[in-house]
Amino acid sequence: MADKNTNTKIDLKKMWATIRSNKKLFLKVWIITFVLACLWILPQPRYYTTTVSIAPETGEMKVGGSLASLASNFGMNLGNSSSTGDAIYPQLYPDLFKSTEFLVGLLDVTVTTKDGELTTDYYTYMKDHQKQNWLLLPLLKLKNWFHSLFTVEDTSDTCKAGKRFDPFQLSKKTHEILMNVSGKLKCTYSRTNEVVTITVTDQDPLVCALMADSVKQHLQLFITDYRTKKARSDCRHYEKLKKEAWEDYEKARNEYTSYCDANSDAVLESVKMKITDLENEMQLKYSVYTGMNTHLESARAKLQERIPAFTTLLNSTVPVKPDGPKRMIFVAIMLFLATMGTIVYAFHKELIDWF
């Protein structure tokens, strides 16, 4: 047992001597690793990141004070009641960013590159103007050629209600672009301060900033449209009823005035009774009209109340420095891994004896 413990002791002098005897091997590995790492990481397109933060108005009447706020951090609800009955809370905004209905609305956003050479919609930009690592281009072309032999790609998109794309039925190419767009967007919600943070990543700094601002506005419009959908429907309903009530009142008034003009000199009681009936009918129609007008004004007031407020805490700005790829860090990691692998190779006999 004592001999075994003696043999398992690490001789640092012997280790250093082994490393020195393999210094040419280490040098070759470092040079090859450095060259290969640079060849891989340098052609990788740089990307930029822009962050926007907003504080949405939830319209909630919270009960429980700080205890309910503390419990919400653990995903619990201690009697919170909503005065608006919303189904899309800020906690669900990150899931909303995965919705096809939401993402399709971003494809028509007009973007401009920082050099000013390209101005187009975001769909065309994602489809035809994305930079690729030139080392991967032959593999991508080979992959596309191989797929074209066995599949017939559907490149046509269906339209819906005047919109360019129908979220219910997309072509394969458009679906792939939507997945790429979804990967560039990130939305997080902080339960502690109730702040929604939107992060957009793109290869061009100006496009990145423009899309961050557009995504924020699109989110606000999407939530506003959802929250005011019922109120807008009520307004259209009462506008229709108001118009019909006014037409009925106009008809009753014209009938009343025409009958009065035709029987202005009449003294018969039957004529007077008819005039009274027509006048009452006209007043009734007017009362209905004023009632519909009151309901319409009330519906418009409710519509205004339902419009949420969004406070922008962090505006979109054009990033100055790229967020990645971290080329120096990547090369350093590759050199470290290569060094560790070479050490294992150089000491494989000693490692067998130790273990």
Side-chain angles (χ1 to χ4, degrees), residues 253-303:
R253 186 178 62 176
N254 292 334
E255 187 177 354
Y256 170 74
T257 55
S258 298
Y259 192 83
C260 289
D261 292 340
N263 300 275
S264 57
D265 298 330
V267 294
L268 297 176
E269 291 296 327
S270 59
V271 174
K272 294 181 180 179
M273 289 294 296
K274 180 65 174 179
I275 293 176
T276 302
D277 292 340
L278 291 175
E279 183 179 3
N280 292 338
E281 181 70 15
M282 181 184 63
Q283 294 296 333
L284 179 61
K285 297 296 183 181
Y286 184 77
S287 298
V288 173
Y289 166 73
T290 55
M292 292 300 103
N293 189 50
T294 301
H295 286 302
L296 177 59
E297 294 300 324
S298 177
R300 288 174 176 172
K302 290 181 180 179
L303 174 61

Side-chain angles (χ1 to χ4, degrees), residues 19-301:
I19 293 176
R20 292 188 61 183
S21 64
N22 290 277
K23 60 182 180 181
K24 291 184 178 180
L25 175 62
F26 279 94
L27 184 60
K28 291 180 181 179
V29 171
W30 287 339
I31 293 175
I32 294 174
T33 302
F34 179 80
V35 172
L36 293 178
C38 290
L39 285 176
W40 173 256
I41 197 64
L42 290 179
Q44 290 288 349
R46 288 188 176 274
Y47 58 86
Y48 300 81
T49 301
T50 300
T51 301
V52 178
S53 297
I54 58 175
E57 179 191 42
T58 60
E60 294 181 356
M61 297 175 56
K62 294 185 177 179
V63 181
S66 59
L67 181 60
S69 178
L70 179 62
S72 66
N73 295 332
F74 299 95
M76 296 184 295
N77 186 356
L78 297 184
N80 287 356
S81 62
S82 174
S83 62
T84 61
D86 287 341
I88 302 181
Y89 294 100
Q91 294 90 328
L92 299 179
Y93 288 2
D95 296 326
L96 184 62
F97 273 61
K98 302 176 184 178
S99 169
T100 304
E101 183 77 26
F102 180 83
L103 294 175
V104 163
L106 299 174
L107 298 181
D108 291 326
V109 175
T110 301
V111 295
T112 303
T113 55
K114 189 176 181 179
D115 55 16
E117 296 182 357
L118 177 66
T119 299
T120 183
D121 58 89
Y122 195 55
Y123 173 81
T124 305
Y125 172 77
M126 289 293 299
K127 178 175 176 290
D128 302 325
H129 302 281
Q130 288 295 289
K131 299 177 182 178
Q132 299 288 344
N133 187 338
W134 57 268
L135 294 175
L136 298 177
L137 290 180
L139 295 177
L140 292 175
K141 291 183 179 180
L142 181 62
K143 178 184 176 182
N144 294 334
W145 175 80
F146 183 78
H147 279 289
S148 65
L149 296 178
F150 300 96
T151 59
V152 178
E153 185 177 358
D154 181 17
T155 58
S156 60
D157 289 291
T158 58
C159 301
K160 178 184 178 182
K163 296 183 179 180
R164 186 177 179 183
F165 303 99
D166 183 5
F168 183 74
Q169 187 176 2
L170 297 172
S171 66
K172 182 179 179 181
K173 184 63 177 180
T174 304
H175 182 266
E176 292 176 354
I177 291 176
L178 277 185
M179 294 301 99
N180 293 335
V181 172
S182 178
K184 291 177 176 289
L185 307 181
K186 182 181 179 182
C187 178
T188 58
Y189 174 74
S190 175
R191 294 179 179 271
T192 55
N193 52 16
E194 297 184 347
V195 172
V196 176
T197 302
I198 301 172
T199 303
V200 178
T201 302
D202 202 273
Q203 296 177 358
D204 187 88
L206 182 57
V207 173
C208 182
L210 291 174
M211 285 306 301
D213 189 64
S214 298
V215 170
K216 180 194 71 172
Q217 296 180 6
H218 186 63
L219 175 63
Q220 295 175 356
L221 292 175
F222 193 91
I223 299 302
T224 301
D225 181 74
Y226 161 74
R227 290 191 61 183
T228 59
K229 185 175 182 179
K230 176 64 167 57
R232 286 184 287 109
S233 177
D234 291 341
C235 286
R236 290 192 297 267
H237 176 68
Y238 285 119
E239 284 177 354
K240 180 181 178 181
L241 293 181
K242 175 187 174 182
K243 182 180 179 181
E244 293 176 353
W246 175 257
E247 292 175 353
D248 292 341
Y249 168 69
E250 283 283 323
K251 182 179 179 180
R253 186 178 62 176
N254 292 334
E255 187 177 354
Y256 170 74
T257 55
S258 298
Y259 192 83
C260 289
D261 292 340
N263 300 275
S264 57
D265 298 330
V267 294
L268 297 176
E269 291 296 327
S270 59
V271 174
K272 294 181 180 179
M273 289 294 296
K274 180 65 174 179
I275 293 176
T276 302
D277 292 340
L278 291 175
E279 183 179 3
N280 292 338
E281 181 70 15
M282 181 184 63
Q283 294 296 333
L284 179 61
K285 297 296 183 181
Y286 184 77
S287 298
V288 173
Y289 166 73
T290 55
M292 292 300 103
N293 189 50
T294 301
H295 286 302
L296 177 59
E297 294 300 324
S298 177
R300 288 174 176 172

